Amino acid sequence: MIATRLLAALATLAILGSSTDCRASEPTVEDEEARAAISPELARSLFDSVRQVAIDHLCALSRFDTHRSYVELTLTAPSGAAHQARLEAIDTAGWKITSDEALRADCGDLLQALEQAVGTAPAPVFTGGSRARWRSLSGMHGALAGALLLLLVASVWIAGREIVAERPPPSALLALLGITLVALALRIFLSPPTFLHEYYHVAETIRGYLEGNSPPAYGKAGPALYRLVAAALDLDHVVGVIFYTNAALAALAVPAVALLSLFLIGRWDHALAAGLFLCVLPHHLRFSASEVLFVPAITLAIWSAALFALYLRKRRLIDLLVGILALALAMQTRPELMVFPGLVVALVLFLEPRSWRVLLSRHAVIAAALLAGLLAPRLLELSGAVGGGPSPKLPQLDRYLAALFLLDTNVTPAVYQLMLAIGAVWTLRYRPGLLAWVALLFAGYTLSSLSLFDNPPYNLRAQLLPDSFTVLIAAGAICAVGDWLRAPARAVALLSAAVAASMLFSSYGFVRELRDQQLQFAFLDSTIARLPERGTLLAAIEVGGRRLDAFPTFLLDRDRKSYALVDVRDAADTDQWPPAAPDLIYYQGMYCYFAFDDEPSPTPLMPACRAVHERYDLEPLHTETLDTRGYSLMRYAPPPYSIGFYRASRAR
């Protein structure tokens, strides 16, 4: 009965997600509550600007009606004809003027001057109401958010059912709970809450995650979760929602991998060791509180594998259905997870070869149909995003081994490498199918990433997933001590704790390291509030292609700053610069200090930034010097790097 109800709920989610256009979840300008509000001060400023332009062109401003997000105008031409126009707040960066054709014919010069005047006016401040935030979870994002909640509730129910049925030792349950709480604390207080993507995609990431505009190649499960949390906690455009939601998800991977181990091996010492090793694995700790979508992908992948392993043991349909739900969500976090169903099939064949018939059972047919339904929107998205990427090329063996961070003691402590070697011997003897499966997963994902990019920062992110699954092998070392040395349980527990402590303390520097990108974001996060309330910001604004390190304008929204935005790179290319003025603020960021190999040298600054210094007298407002190394695989000017805000009130 429960399985039937769950199947009905999952089928409903599949239908909702498939029948809803992906764009339906994006906030539209027609949603009055979600749009930018025009404050009384801003309305007065606009009135003065429009009235002065009308006077200069011998026209009369006979009506100026301010609404929440637009202004209705009536302009009377010298001929006496009255014309209607509308001044509309599009977003936090600009305005749009709409009018009838008669106004353009009768007062074309006035309209052009009006567009120029409004173009430099302060931008409105975004304010979204609580109803608008919940409405933003409609459509596909709403279906995914519902699926995430259903997965959580169903998993808790399954865990409770298993506890009642199996009656595990209370000490083991308390130990698992304690390890999970330690994992959560480490990810909140030790893992750096910052951006760890190697190409400065801070501005694009936040807009994509919190507004649902992520690229088609990336799934919507992560953004749906962040928006669900933001709506539930009434935290609109708060970047910490991403960091701490990921930290909580990363902590949930610890009990998930412990249960996966328990269902595969059937031993609590192995399960607790696997959970403890993932709890303190430096690679996982490093990224746990970042924006990287591999974090929820790993948790959901382990979660689904654990449920499938439980299904192999108990053959209950509900376990399979919840596992399919977790798998579908994992596949909608990162494109790399689209191949994970193949690894699930391999899990069955490697660990329970005699159970291959389960893949042809009635339950398997139901599961496959359900997975196809849940993934239909994702597959449609991917079909439009295929192509344009780099051609894969398998790396040479020496380069492959040199690029594995599992073998790099700066990332993976030597004591964990020792546990992995001992655990591999134990697993080969007692559970060779598990060793083969983890080896397949590890080789598949590492070869895939290294075949596409020879980029260490990217490979560090991409290898996070396969490295996390190696704890299933390393945990075998703890079992080996108990089995081969006949050590008592207390001694085995003390050994596990000592290994974990050694891993934690030896990798502190790697986990906490912040370089130019992370230090720059910390500077901006703490400085934006001290800027003038309004003005014109000259900075790297536009995104896409090689336009990296765009200014994170969501911080202006957060601190209710109203700025007209001018892209410094466009200004340099077209030689159309904003006039020097007391309210012209220039931001010199890390984009001034790096370049691609085929671009001009960024020493001491890239050309557009040098042009700013040549054109304006710059008065420092808030600056900082970063004595650090470049985070990405770019051509950098020598450190240190001076970043900050400058007032450009006078031209040279």
Side-chain angles (χ1 to χ4, degrees):
M1 182 63 71
I2 295 176
T4 304
R5 292 175 180 174
L6 179 61
L7 181 59
L10 292 175
T12 303
L13 287 172
I15 293 170
L16 287 175
S18 301
S19 62
T20 304
D21 190 280
C22 301
R23 292 169 297 178
S25 62
E26 298 175 10
T28 65
V29 295
E30 300 304 320
D31 186 346
E32 187 69 22
E33 187 178 4
R35 294 167 70 186
I38 300 175
S39 65
E41 296 81 5
L42 185 54
R44 167 54 63 180
S45 174
L46 289 170
F47 174 79
D48 292 341
S49 298
V50 173
R51 181 173 176 272
Q52 187 60 51
V53 170
I55 292 173
D56 292 344
H57 289 77
L58 304 178
C59 291
L61 176 62
S62 53
R63 186 168 68 101
F64 188 93
D65 287 347
T66 304
H67 300 264
R68 175 180 172 82
S69 59
Y70 64 93
V71 178
E72 291 182 340
L73 309 174
T74 299
L75 296 164
T76 304
S79 63
H83 302 288
Q84 308 301 317
R86 179 168 166 145
L87 178 61
E88 188 172 13
I90 298 301
D91 52 32
T92 56
W95 302 85
K96 179 177 73 173
I97 299 176
T98 55
S99 63
D100 53 32
E101 290 300 323
L103 177 60
R104 291 191 176 276
D106 206 5
C107 307
D109 292 343
L110 178 147
L111 196 58
Q112 184 177 6
L114 190 61
E115 289 172 344
Q116 293 176 351
V118 171
T120 59
V125 176
F126 179 90
T127 56
S130 59
R131 286 183 299 164
R133 278 190 290 273
W134 285 109
R135 281 199 298 272
S136 74
L137 284 170
S138 62
M140 181 183 287
H141 284 87
L144 288 170
L148 286 161
L149 291 174
L150 181 59
L151 173 62
L152 182 62
V153 172
S155 298
V156 170
W157 184 87
I158 290 173
R161 183 201 70 195
E162 289 301 304
I163 290 173
V164 171
E166 299 295 331
R167 299 188 180 276
S171 59
L173 289 178
L174 288 174
L176 181 57
L177 177 61
I179 293 171
T180 303
L181 292 176
V182 169
L184 179 61
L186 288 175
R187 280 147 183 81
I188 291 176
F189 298 108
L190 182 63
S191 300
T194 188
F195 295 90
L196 293 178
H197 191 287
E198 64 275 8
Y199 279 136
Y200 303 88
H201 291 315
V202 175
E204 304 97 306
T205 296
I206 296 306
R207 295 298 186 193
Y209 287 7
L210 296 184
E211 296 180 4
N213 300 320
S214 44
Y218 295 88
K220 289 182 167 58
L225 178 60
Y226 306 139
R227 296 171 75 188
L228 174 64
V229 174
L233 300 181
D234 198 19
L235 296 174
D236 195 34
H237 280 68
V238 176
V239 67
V241 166
I242 297 172
F243 299 146
Y244 293 107
T245 300
N246 268 4
L249 278 173
L252 285 177
V254 169
V257 81
L259 293 176
L260 173 59
S261 164
L262 184 64
F263 299 149
L264 293 177
I265 305 296
R267 292 180 52 162
W268 272 104
D269 55 350
H270 192 282
L272 293 175
L276 182 61
F277 286 162
L278 186 61
C279 171
V280 297
L281 188 68
H283 201 169
H284 197 261
L285 271 174
R286 167 72 173 163
F287 287 92
S288 287
S290 72
E291 90 290 9
V292 172
L293 285 174
F294 278 111
V295 174
I298 289 166
T299 298
L300 290 168
I302 295 174
W303 205 332
S304 67
L307 287 163
F308 289 129
L310 178 60
Y311 174 74
L312 286 177
R313 288 168 62 95
K314 300 294 183 73
R315 304 297 171 91
R316 288 192 174 100
L317 178 59
I318 188 172
D319 301 337
L320 179 61
L321 295 179
V322 179
I324 286 293
L325 178 57
L327 178 60
L329 289 169
M331 295 170 70
Q332 298 188 70
T333 52
R334 287 280 315 186
E336 292 85 350
L337 271 293
M338 293 303 293
V339 301
F340 204 75
L343 290 168
V344 170
V345 173
L347 181 67
V348 175
L349 297 177
F350 284 13
L351 276 84
E352 298 289 344
R354 290 173 295 182
S355 299
W356 63 269
R357 290 183 180 84
V358 76
L359 300 174
L360 305 176
S361 66
R362 181 171 57 89
H363 285 180
V365 173
I366 294 173
L370 180 60
L371 182 62
L374 290 171
L375 287 178
R378 175 72 170 136
L379 295 174
L380 287 174
E381 272 192 322
L382 283 176
S383 65
V386 172
S391 300
K393 182 180 179 181
L394 284 176
Q396 297 292 329
L397 180 61
D398 56 344
R399 189 177 76 82
Y400 172 71
L401 295 176
L404 292 180
F405 289 100
L406 191 65
L407 305 180
D408 185 349
T409 54
N410 293 316
V411 176
T412 306
V415 66
Y416 183 75
Q417 294 174 344
L418 177 62
M419 293 294 104
L420 199 57
I422 298 173
V425 175
W426 184 89
T427 309
L428 179 62
R429 179 175 179 181
Y430 295 103
R431 208 64 162 143
L434 177 60
L435 181 62
W437 184 73
V438 173
L440 174 67
L441 183 150
F442 184 86
Y445 276 114
T446 53
L447 281 171
S448 174
S449 65
L450 291 170
S451 297
L452 292 174
F453 300 105
D454 188 12
N455 183 334
Y458 165 78
N459 291 328
L460 182 63
R461 283 193 302 122
Q463 292 180 33
L464 177 60
L465 189 149
D467 281 5
S468 298
F469 276 89
T470 62
V471 300
L472 293 169
I473 306 302
I478 301 302
C479 295
V481 171
D483 294 348
W484 299 341
L485 301 182
R486 301 189 183 278
R490 189 182 299 274
V492 172
L494 289 175
L495 174 64
S496 301
V499 171
S502 174
M503 291 173 59
L504 193 60
F505 288 111
S506 64
S507 61
Y508 180 84
F510 164 73
V511 172
R512 295 290 298 172
E513 182 185 29
L514 301 178
R515 295 195 194 174
D516 62 305
Q517 179 179 190
Q518 295 83 40
L519 294 171
Q520 175 180 240
F521 178 74
F523 167 77
L524 290 171
D525 190 39
S526 61
T527 305
I528 295 292
R530 292 182 282 162
L531 291 179
E533 293 301 313
R534 62 191 63 209
T536 300
L537 180 65
L538 179 63
I541 303 297
E542 301 298 330
V543 300
R546 292 189 168 191
R547 291 174 174 264
L548 305 181
D549 198 29
F551 191 88
T553 55
F554 69 91
L555 293 177
L556 296 174
D557 301 338
R558 181 197 66 184
D559 292 326
R560 297 187 176 276
K561 305 293 182 181
S562 298
Y563 277 82
L565 305 175
V566 179
D567 189 274
V568 65
R569 293 172 287 207
D570 286 347
D573 290 342
T574 61
D575 198 29
Q576 295 182 0
W577 297 90
D583 65 348
L584 177 60
I585 307 298
Y586 164 61
Y587 176 66
Q588 180 169 291
M590 280 305 303
Y591 67 90
C592 292
Y593 298 103
F594 62 72
F596 289 91
D597 289 338
D598 58 351
E599 292 179 335
S601 171
T603 304
L605 295 169
M606 59 96 79
C609 298
R610 289 202 299 267
V612 173
H613 285 264
E614 293 166 358
R615 189 173 189 88
Y616 303 101
D617 279 331
L618 299 176
E619 173 193 349
L621 291 179
H622 308 286
T623 63
E624 187 166 314
T625 299
L626 307 182
D627 191 5
T628 183
R629 293 182 295 158
Y631 182 66
S632 187
L633 191 67
M634 305 285 288
R635 186 158 54 106
Y636 285 86
Y641 307 112
S642 178
I643 65 171
F645 295 93
Y646 299 81
R647 192 188 306 275
S649 56
R650 293 186 302 173
R652 285 187 180 273

